[in-house]
Amino acid sequence: MKIYPLLFLLFISSFTLALSQNTHYFSEGLAAGGLHQYGREAIYQDQLAYALSNGSLATPSGNATLSNLKGEKVAWKALKADSLNRFRSRELANGYLFLTYTAKKKHTALLNVAGNDMVYVNGSPHGGDIYRYGWMDIPVELKKGRNEFYIRVGRFGAYGGVVAKLDFPTQAVSLNTADLTMPHVVPGLKNDSLWVGLVVVNTSDQPLSGLTISSELGEYKMAVPVPMIPALSTRKVGILIDGSKAGTVGKQPVSLALVQNRKTIDRKSVELETIAAGKQYSRTFVSDIDGTVQYYSVAPQIDPQPDIPPALFFSVHGAEVQAINQARAYKPKDWGVLVAPTNRRPRGFNWEDWGRLDALEVLDIAKKTFKPNSEKIYLTGHSMGGHGTWFLGATYPGNWAAIAPCAGYPTLSSYGSHDGMIPDSAATPMEAMLLRASNPSNVLALVKNYKPLGVYINHGDADRTVSVEYARQMKKVLADFHTDFSYYEYPGGSHWYGDISVDWPPLFDFFSSHTLAADTAVAHVDFTTANPGISGQMKWATIHQQREPLLFSHIDLDLDKEKKQITGTTQNVATLSLALVSFDPGTEIQIELDSNEVLPYTVRTPSEVVFLHKNEQWEIASKPADREKGTLRSGTFKEPFNHRTIYVYGTQGNAQENTWAMDKAKFDAESWYYRGNGAVDLIADTDFDPQQYPDRGVVLYGNANTNAAWPALLSDCPIQVTDGKIRAGNNTFTGNDLAAYFMWPRRDSNLASVAVVSGSGLTGMKAANANQYFSGGSGFPDFMIFNNEMLRDGVTGVKMAGFYSNDWTLQEGGKVVADQ
């Protein structure tokens, strides 16, 4: 069964969905290439977006030109779609496709573009369908007369082609079943309340509330309320199906009805499948990340014994692979159960960021559901999942007895390089500060975290998708220090050479000979992290705070029960805790760190945890205040998006500023849906009450003058953005072209934070339109201030960037400020 990534997946058939609506396919346009460069970092360049931000973009025509990234003049070139409605040309590589549509009157439509990164519709940004799934319908309002579409295309979009169409639905509100998140009915399991995810489409100009969706399977009915759907938007929502009487193996139709005020607005039917006993299956759950329906898949254990806990094999899939297909690549085992999370989407976040959180959520569910032997938990994965194995293994080494990356690459930054591994480099202190935010992704700096794990490296020696050189170089890296790893190259093996690419018997034999040691059995801890908020704990030692944020922190500690002491060295650690479970209450122990004076300590309880803090010297300390940085909240701009985030858009500016705030919030919501199979609440600033949303992340769009929620959330923040000015501590920047991305902890929560997307004026706000923060592995510091010249010139347009200290103050050592 093939599950390898497909680089140019094109589902043309999905564009011909039989709906009662008229369709307009775009057939002629203009193209210009080499205009933008977006990567996995905060810095980006986009010549067209720059011109849009300051109003200097000339209407494309045969005579119009604009500058590319090299500073050369580029002319727009005419382009026609082929017989499959695809625009294909090398001119589209890292470029834009310009299309127009003339409407006889003002009305709404569903825009569907496949093969694009994003699109500007009459100047407003909207999400894209880079992987050509075909279900990314975006409600747009067409004005009377000429409507303009600037479609941003990436490097590969030029070759796979771009298909663009407008659908004109006959009803304003509908259910869309093209992008379902479905469970299976599994004999012997609870099937009476199965969560399903599907999309509600609102093409009207009014928000929708008071909706319910009911499901009916035979005589069994269930109904759930639907969250508010903003005007001109879609939202993936969760519904419930009672599958307890679904019947025999196979698929059965389930009727769905969308109801408002007791009136049925739309009806659809979906199929619910019952899986035969012992076969691989999928189950759904409601994610704590954003409250949406997600799924995982299982290859069940053969003949499980109630008195013998199973092993748990945790398998992370490759790009474009569904979790159920990952599970089906493995034959069920008699000594363990295999669980495959989704990464939120088949490509998702490369198992970093919210892909990492999805993996942790599913791992927790798997432990509660299957109650595995705690000593026999193993991690493996293929291709992008091979990277996920390297990354999750290094980030959470205490979770696994052994790991087995198959056809994987260690770091995102090195993938695609000819020699396998290229270290990040920075030309300026500003760029170094920005790249520092990506340190948690740097597996190569975390390799010694593999020390306590068994490692099995598996790769085909003829792999042309992920070079075997990645495996060979990791073998060399491990050989310098690791005493328990195995390496195998499959002769003639391509990227995928059948199910044995992952379901390789020697790999599972290797797993069977490894066990995960209990904390009390571990005498040595050698652990590195770049962010305690992502990963701070290894066995009985936890790094809570760093001296310099997002630089690597390292502990190398020895625990000697006979000598009643803990000794060792630390690097870049400000606050550390030690769980003293290996010592009996009443025991007097000695702690010596970094050749410091010996610290005596008397163990008082069986679950004793001692905290230590370092200024100049280590000393016994109390637990850091909940308000300070720590393992629950340690910063970077992306952290607030982890906690059922609410998008709060400003309504107190002028008409253009208010339109920008709403458009930008919708753009981010569309991008989160596409990349993360997720949904968010969009609310106006005047409707936001912090008490109604406890412990939830907030994304605030606007500034102190344009967003009424600013005082409640940011009055104590050292970064203040107002019309024409940004003040950050002792630094002040002026002009209406300034933009800022920054985060700030909610004062009413020990967990949640605020992410701010802001500008000092309309030009600056438009400069903040990009949302690379949704790219897996992209690094953003705690704060970043730039002007719209960054879009044209890159890093020289960044004015200030850095990290707060542990008490959330701005200090000189934690930031870089450009010359004024």
Side-chain angles (χ1 to χ4, degrees):
M1 169 183 190
K2 288 190 174 183
I3 62 170
Y4 57 82
L6 302 176
L7 293 179
F8 302 116
L9 197 64
L10 184 58
F11 295 133
I12 295 299
S13 61
S14 61
F15 286 93
T16 59
L17 189 64
L19 296 175
S20 299
Q21 55 193 21
N22 299 315
T23 299
H24 169 79
Y25 281 94
F26 290 91
S27 59
E28 296 183 354
L30 298 170
L35 300 178
H36 59 78
Q37 180 175 323
Y38 292 80
R40 291 190 178 94
E41 57 182 277
I43 305 168
Y44 67 94
Q45 290 178 261
D46 190 327
Q47 303 300 318
L48 187 139
Y50 170 73
L52 273 177
S53 72
N54 61 23
S56 65
L57 181 62
T59 301
S61 66
N63 299 320
T65 62
L66 65 167
S67 297
N68 63 15
L69 294 176
K70 298 178 181 179
E72 304 165 338
K73 292 295 182 181
V74 176
W76 291 94
K77 294 186 179 180
L79 193 60
K80 291 187 176 182
D82 62 17
S83 60
L84 295 176
N85 300 305
R86 297 176 300 181
F87 291 95
R88 303 180 71 183
S89 170
R90 68 180 63 183
E91 301 296 334
L92 289 175
N94 290 334
Y96 278 87
L97 174 64
F98 176 69
L99 305 174
T100 63
Y101 177 81
T102 301
K104 294 181 180 180
K105 62 179 181 179
K106 177 183 175 181
H107 61 118
T108 59
L110 287 173
L111 175 65
N112 189 301
V113 184
N116 67 320
D117 295 349
M118 58 84 67
V119 56
Y120 290 100
V121 180
N122 294 326
S124 297
H126 286 282
D129 180 9
I130 187 174
Y131 303 123
R132 303 178 182 85
Y133 296 135
W135 40 252
M136 187 66 174
D137 290 329
I138 299 174
V140 296
E141 184 175 76
L142 302 176
K143 61 185 180 181
K144 181 180 179 180
R146 177 182 166 109
N147 294 268
E148 297 183 341
F149 305 82
Y150 290 97
I151 298 172
R152 196 175 85 208
V153 185
R155 183 175 57 171
F156 297 119
Y159 307 102
V162 175
V163 179
K165 67 167 184 170
L166 288 168
D167 288 323
F168 302 97
T170 57
Q171 59 188 69
V173 182
S174 62
L175 299 173
N176 186 337
T177 59
D179 176 36
L180 293 172
T181 302
M182 292 290 295
H184 288 123
V185 175
V186 183
L189 299 185
K190 188 174 183 292
N191 297 302
D192 60 352
S193 299
L194 300 176
W195 282 105
V196 171
L198 83 164
V199 172
V200 178
V201 180
N202 179 14
T203 62
S204 76
D205 59 1
Q206 296 296 320
L208 294 175
S209 59
L211 298 172
T212 60
I213 298 178
S214 63
S215 65
E216 184 174 353
L217 175 58
E219 61 185 68
Y220 293 89
K221 298 181 180 180
M222 301 192 80
V224 295
V226 175
M228 188 271 290
I229 314 293
L232 292 169
S233 69
T234 67
R235 176 165 181 156
K236 196 161 188 180
V237 302
I239 66 170
L240 285 170
I241 296 177
D242 185 346
S244 59
K245 303 295 183 181
T248 58
V249 173
K251 297 180 179 180
Q252 294 194 46
V254 180
S255 299
L256 306 178
L258 178 63
V259 179
Q260 184 179 41
N261 299 325
R262 299 183 179 180
K263 179 182 178 181
T264 299
I265 300 173
D266 193 26
R267 293 185 182 274
K268 287 290 190 300
S269 179
V270 298
E271 290 184 323
L272 182 65
E273 183 177 9
T274 300
I275 295 294
K279 295 296 184 180
Q280 294 88 343
Y281 62 86
S282 296
R283 298 298 270 183
T284 50
F285 65 98
V286 176
S287 170
D288 285 337
I289 298 172
D290 61 353
T292 58
V293 177
Q294 306 298 322
Y295 88 99
Y296 62 92
S297 294
V298 178
Q301 181 184 9
I302 298 173
D303 192 24
Q305 301 299 310
D307 57 338
I308 303 176
L312 174 61
F313 313 118
F314 201 67
S315 181
V316 290
H317 64 72
E320 266 339 314
V321 178
Q322 292 283 355
I324 185 60
N325 291 340
Q326 183 76 2
R328 286 170 177 163
Y330 295 89
K331 292 181 177 64
K333 306 289 185 285
D334 61 4
W335 63 288
V337 59
L338 182 136
V339 174
T342 66
N343 188 33
R344 302 284 293 203
R345 285 286 192 193
R347 286 185 182 263
F349 304 101
N350 309 94
W351 298 107
E352 302 195 23
D353 299 311
W354 303 281
R356 168 183 63 84
L357 293 178
D358 175 74
L360 293 179
E361 271 197 308
V362 174
L363 179 64
D364 185 59
I365 291 171
K367 289 179 178 179
K368 292 176 180 177
T369 302
F370 301 106
K371 298 177 175 55
N373 186 330
S374 60
E375 296 181 351
K376 297 181 179 181
I377 299 177
Y378 308 96
L379 172 66
T380 187
H382 180 264
S383 191
M384 181 183 74
H387 162 68
T389 302
W390 285 122
F391 173 73
L392 295 169
T395 305
Y396 303 106
N399 286 356
W400 327 103
I403 66 172
C406 304
Y409 48 91
T411 65
L412 289 171
S413 61
S414 69
Y415 182 48
S417 62
H418 295 295
D419 57 356
M421 299 179 186
I422 296 180
D424 290 325
S425 60
T428 66
M430 183 68 76
E431 190 171 7
M433 181 63 76
L434 293 169
L435 288 174
R436 180 166 146 187
S438 298
N439 278 345
S441 296
N442 190 350
V443 166
L444 299 179
L446 306 177
V447 289
K448 291 195 175 180
N449 287 356
Y450 300 129
K451 274 185 178 181
L453 312 178
V455 179
Y456 190 103
I457 304 174
N458 185 35
H459 215 116
D461 68 2
D463 191 338
R464 299 181 63 183
T465 302
V466 178
S467 171
V468 70
E469 288 302 317
Y470 292 109
R472 292 170 180 171
Q473 292 197 28
M474 286 304 288
K475 175 185 176 183
K476 293 178 182 178
V477 170
L478 292 179
D480 286 341
F481 67 91
H482 207 291
T483 59
D484 184 18
F485 77 93
S486 185
Y487 180 89
Y488 183 73
E489 288 184 17
Y490 192 89
S494 60
H495 192 55
W496 183 259
Y497 43 91
D499 288 352
I500 58 170
S501 301
V502 291
D503 195 15
W504 178 236
L507 183 156
F508 283 89
D509 290 342
F510 182 84
F511 280 173
S512 68
S513 66
H514 288 79
T515 55
L516 179 62
D519 290 4
T520 52
V522 174
H524 181 72
V525 169
D526 186 347
F527 177 68
T528 300
T529 185
N531 185 344
I534 291 176
S535 173
Q537 182 178 359
M538 180 58 184
K539 298 300 182 180
W540 39 266
T542 301
I543 299 171
H544 292 264
Q545 294 179 331
Q546 300 174 290
R547 297 175 68 83
E548 296 185 72
L550 274 287
L551 291 179
F552 293 102
S553 297
H554 177 237
I555 52 176
D556 191 349
L557 306 176
D558 290 294
L559 183 152
D560 192 319
K561 294 179 67 173
E562 291 186 1
K563 294 182 178 180
K564 302 176 184 179
Q565 66 181 22
I566 297 175
T567 60
T569 60
T570 71
Q571 292 177 320
N572 192 36
V573 179
T575 304
L576 175 72
S577 73
L578 304 172
L580 305 179
V581 292
S582 295
F583 301 102
D584 295 328
T587 304
E588 293 185 3
I589 66 170
Q590 294 182 331
I591 303 172
E592 183 178 358
L593 301 176
D594 301 329
S595 300
N596 193 7
E597 62 182 81
V598 175
L599 300 174
Y601 189 83
T602 301
V603 180
R604 295 165 296 181
T605 67
S607 57
E608 185 88 9
V609 176
V610 60
F611 285 84
L612 302 103
H613 185 76
K614 184 177 184 180
N615 288 316
E616 295 300 322
Q617 301 288 330
W618 283 104
E619 56 186 25
I620 303 297
S622 58
K623 179 183 176 182
D626 291 334
R627 173 70 177 171
E628 294 185 1
K629 283 189 174 183
T631 55
L632 292 181
R633 181 171 58 187
S634 195
T636 83
F637 172 76
K638 298 169 72 168
E639 187 182 67
F641 291 85
N642 297 348
H643 303 291
R644 297 203 178 202
T645 310
I646 314 147
Y647 293 0
V648 181
Y649 56 90
T651 64
Q652 304 302 297
N654 60 40
Q656 289 179 305
E657 291 169 336
N658 294 343
T659 297
W660 169 83
M662 183 61 172
D663 287 348
K664 171 60 174 162
K666 283 186 177 180
F667 176 36
D668 281 3
E670 291 163 358
S671 300
W672 174 246
Y673 159 62
Y674 184 80
R675 288 184 176 271
N677 192 32
V680 295
D681 294 323
L682 271 67
I683 64 173
D685 52 357
T686 51
D687 295 328
F688 176 73
D689 179 356
Q691 294 183 0
Q692 293 183 14
Y693 305 96
D695 289 328
R696 294 182 64 176
V698 178
V699 182
L700 185 148
Y701 300 91
N703 64 36
N705 298 115
T706 68
N707 194 302
W710 192 284
L713 295 169
L714 298 163
S715 61
D716 58 342
C717 180
I719 300 175
Q720 294 292 315
V721 185
T722 54
D723 291 342
K725 183 170 66 175
I726 296 181
R727 176 176 55 81
N730 296 325
N731 301 99
T732 301
F733 309 91
T734 58
N736 66 1
D737 60 348
L738 296 166
Y741 300 137
F742 64 96
M743 62 82 62
W744 186 246
R746 285 186 60 166
R747 69 171 69 92
D748 58 350
S749 172
N750 296 329
L751 177 70
S753 301
V754 185
V756 183
V757 180
S758 188
S760 60
L762 188 61
T763 299
M765 291 172 179
K766 289 183 176 180
N769 270 337
N771 54 18
Q772 289 305 101
Y773 35 84
F774 290 129
S775 294
S778 60
F780 281 73
D782 289 350
F783 53 86
M784 172 182 171
I785 299 169
F786 56 101
N787 64 13
N788 72 324
E789 292 180 359
M790 187 189 78
L791 282 63
R792 182 188 64 192
D793 303 324
V795 69
T796 57
V798 182
K799 301 302 178 184
M800 179 175 169
F803 302 90
Y804 303 109
S805 60
N806 288 324
D807 60 358
W808 300 102
T809 56
L810 283 176
Q811 296 185 357
E812 291 302 317
K815 64 185 180 182
V816 173
V817 183
D819 294 334
Q820 301 298 299

